[in-house]
Each structure stands twice: as structure tokens, then as C-alpha cells.
Amino acid sequence: MQPRHFISLLDLSSAELHTLIQRAIQLKTHRDPNYQPFKGKVLAMIFEKSSTRTRISFESGMAQFGGSALFLSPRDTQLGRGEPLEDSAKVISSMVDCIMLRTNDHETVTTFAKHSRVPVINGLTDLLHPCQLLADMQTYFELRGDIVGKTVTWVGDGNNMCHSYINAARQFDFKLNIACPVDYRPLQNIVDAAGHRVAFFNTPEQAAQQADLVVTDVWASMGQEDEQKKREFVFKDFQVNAKTMAAAKSDALFMHCLPAHRGEEVTAEVIDGPQSVIFPEAENRLHAQKALLEFLICR
Ligand code: CP
Ligand code: NVA
């Protein structure tokens, strides 16, 4: 049987994603120490880039449910010395139950998955960050109920997080208003596939009109450190601040995948203010990924 992968939110059906979010909410309050569904199971985690939340949530999630996780850096494995990805995928997947990869190129994850005999999870690529969206959706559902028909505002770079928000708009059926500089728009094919759900605006205030949720991310992602100065200039009008939140509904939530740069993409006033839910959002990485791992490896 071909393994199921989670490389994009589109790899699961909308119904499967909704079930997974409900399961994540259940697991958050699950306190039975005898529940060990991952007993004897091993998750390999390959990180080409840094991580706090992704590494800790996957590692803790495996341990708390009786399994274990291996942290693998290309620097210390043969991957960094040019062993073909196809060979690595065949070898690693013959020894573990699931593999999570955080890579620069998205193609690294898709190629790896093609040759893996166990489920592969995308822990962030330059194109997508689907695991973060599971946590974000869980957080919205917990605090406000179903997101269907709601308005979400994305401010800033049309990056991996923005692409995953567009895919989430399709799967969870919400409206996504995007305010970003013209040269930093998300990829057109991803936008087109979402149809009428996605709209572009010139300013954060216009995009945030009547929004239920406002989201942003760093101006320079991992791997774009050299562009930091240029991006500070290009993105200076694409900040989430008090004016942006004032345009949104009075009960709108603010989310950010973290790490954040206060004073750049978001003011301290907003990210540390009453509408911000960044810490429950971060914690939900743990619960949402436990639900994802259950779905993928306990079939
Ligand atoms: N949000 C997120 O993926 O955080 P890390 O880079 O710390 O894993
Ligand atoms: N867009 C950011 C997300 C970090 C979790 C990056 O790729 O660095």
C-alpha cells in the first residue's frame, strides 16, 4: 500500500483535515498516560534549516505518545556529503515509521516522498508550511468555532506561509484578503487554484476590513537573510499595527507562526496585545501534529 504523505494541505481531503483538527482539540486535554499509540514507532526528522517549534513539537509529540524521534542534520549525515536523495529515502524509510523534512527546496521533499515507503511530512520548505496551518486552524476553531465563510487577512510576504494560507482557504472555505508588495505576491498558480476566495489589496487597512483573523510573517524568511535591508524598505508599509487591527472586526484574532520581529512585520502593541493568540497557536503545533502522526502512522 502506498503511504499517505503530508507535503501540502491538499494531500488530505477537506473532510480529513476537519476531522484532524477536531482530534487535535481532543488530544489537547487528553491525559491518559496509558494511551501510547506511537509505542515502538520512530520518527526521523531531517532539518536543513533551524527550528524551535517544529523540532520540539514533533519530538515531544512522539515521546508523549510512547514513540521516539531522531534529529538528523545534513551536516552529520551522508545527505550533506552528496548521497543521492533517492538512496537516502529508501534507506531511512526502511528503518523508521515516518519522516519529517524541513528543506530549502520543495522538490527535495517531493522527491524524497516518491522514494519513501513510509509517510513523509513537510516541516517547512521555501514553498509551503502546512503543519503551521494545522495549528493555526486548530487555534481558530478552539477560540471562535468554524472558520467557514470568515475573512482572513494576510499582510506581508507572499511566502511559504502565505501559500499555505491560500491552500487553507480552499480546504476550510474562507476568504483570504492579501496585502503585499506587487513584486512579492504569492505564486500565481497557487492563487488561481483558490479562485474567488483570494483577493489582493494595496494596504493592510483595506485588506483587514471586517476581518475575523489577521496574520503576518517575517519580511525575510530563512535563507533570505542577505535581503533583510532591502526587504525592510520594500515592506515598510506592510506592517500589522493598531491601525490594521482597528479596521478588522473588534473580536478579530492576530496570529503569527513565530519567530517574529517586533517593530517590523508587527508592532509589539499588537503581537503582545489582547487580540494576539501567538502562544496558544505555538502550543497547538504539538497537539495538531500528534493528530497528524496518529492519522499517518496508526492506520
Ligand atoms: N513556526 C515554526 O515553524 O517555528 P520554528 O521555525 O521554530 O520551527
Ligand atoms: N516564512 C518563515 C517561516 C518560519 C516558521 C521562514 O520560512 O523562515
Side-chain angles (χ1 to χ4, degrees), residues 50-54 102 129 132 257-258 285:
S50 308
S51 168
T52 297
R53 280 144 289 269
T54 304
R102 168 169 286 198
H129 194 7
Q132 183 67 48
C257 61
L258 303 179
R285 292 292 303 276

Side-chain angles (χ1 to χ4, degrees), residues 71-125:
F71 173 81
L72 304 169
S73 144
R75 233 196 356 259
D76 315 313
T77 58
Q78 301 291 4
L79 273 167
R81 294 183 59 252
E83 180 165 8
L85 211 51
E86 292 79 355
D87 292 357
S88 303
K90 284 176 190 160
V91 171
I92 299 170
S93 71
S94 71
M95 301 181 188
V96 302
D97 301 278
C98 189
I99 302 165
M100 189 235 78
L101 293 98
R102 168 169 286 198
T103 65
N104 296 299
D105 294 339
H106 187 71
E107 225 195 313
T108 305
V109 177
T110 53
T111 305
F112 198 97
K114 251 186 228 138
H115 299 276
S116 170
R117 63 156 99 145
V118 299
V120 166
I121 297 172
N122 177 357
L124 180 147
T125 63

Side-chain angles (χ1 to χ4, degrees), residues 49-54 102-103 123-129 132 154 157 159-162 216-225 256-259 285:
K49 309 194 204 199
S50 308
S51 168
T52 297
R53 280 144 289 269
T54 304
R102 168 169 286 198
T103 65
L124 180 147
T125 63
D126 286 347
L127 191 74
L128 298 172
H129 194 7
Q132 183 67 48
W154 175 267
D157 197 10
N159 63 9
N160 44 12
M161 276 298 299
C162 181
T216 189
D217 187 13
V218 287
W219 288 340
S221 284
M222 288 182 275
Q224 297 170 336
E225 290 78 7
H256 189 309
C257 61
L258 303 179
R285 292 292 303 276

Side-chain angles (χ1 to χ4, degrees), residues 28-74:
K28 192 168 182 170
T29 51
H30 193 96
R31 293 277 178 270
D32 177 6
N34 297 320
Y35 185 65
Q36 302 274 281
F38 306 155
K39 195 168 176 0
K41 307 258 188 208
V42 179
L43 170 74
M45 307 187 295
I46 299 170
F47 282 96
E48 279 181 5
K49 309 194 204 199
S50 308
S51 168
T52 297
R53 280 144 289 269
T54 304
R55 177 177 175 178
I56 297 170
S57 52
F58 271 112
E59 206 162 321
S60 300
M62 285 302 293
Q64 288 169 11
F65 278 177
S68 56
L70 300 171
F71 173 81
L72 304 169
S73 144

Side-chain angles (χ1 to χ4, degrees), residues 1-24 27 35 37-38 41 58 62 65 97-98 118-121 134 287-299:
M1 197 175 74
Q2 283 299 312
R4 293 289 297 270
H5 301 300
F6 186 65
I7 296 173
S8 153
L9 286 174
L10 307 178
D11 288 335
L12 268 60
S13 69
S14 171
E16 285 172 332
L17 285 171
H18 281 86
T19 305
L20 203 145
I21 297 300
Q22 291 312 319
R23 181 64 181 152
L27 288 176
Y35 185 65
F38 306 155
K41 307 258 188 208
F58 271 112
M62 285 302 293
F65 278 177
D97 301 278
C98 189
V118 299
V120 166
I121 297 172
L134 295 181
H287 310 297
Q289 287 158 200
K290 279 177 165 170
L292 174 66
L293 287 163
E294 247 189 5
F295 176 83
L296 292 175
I297 67 180
C298 302
R299 298 165 74 77

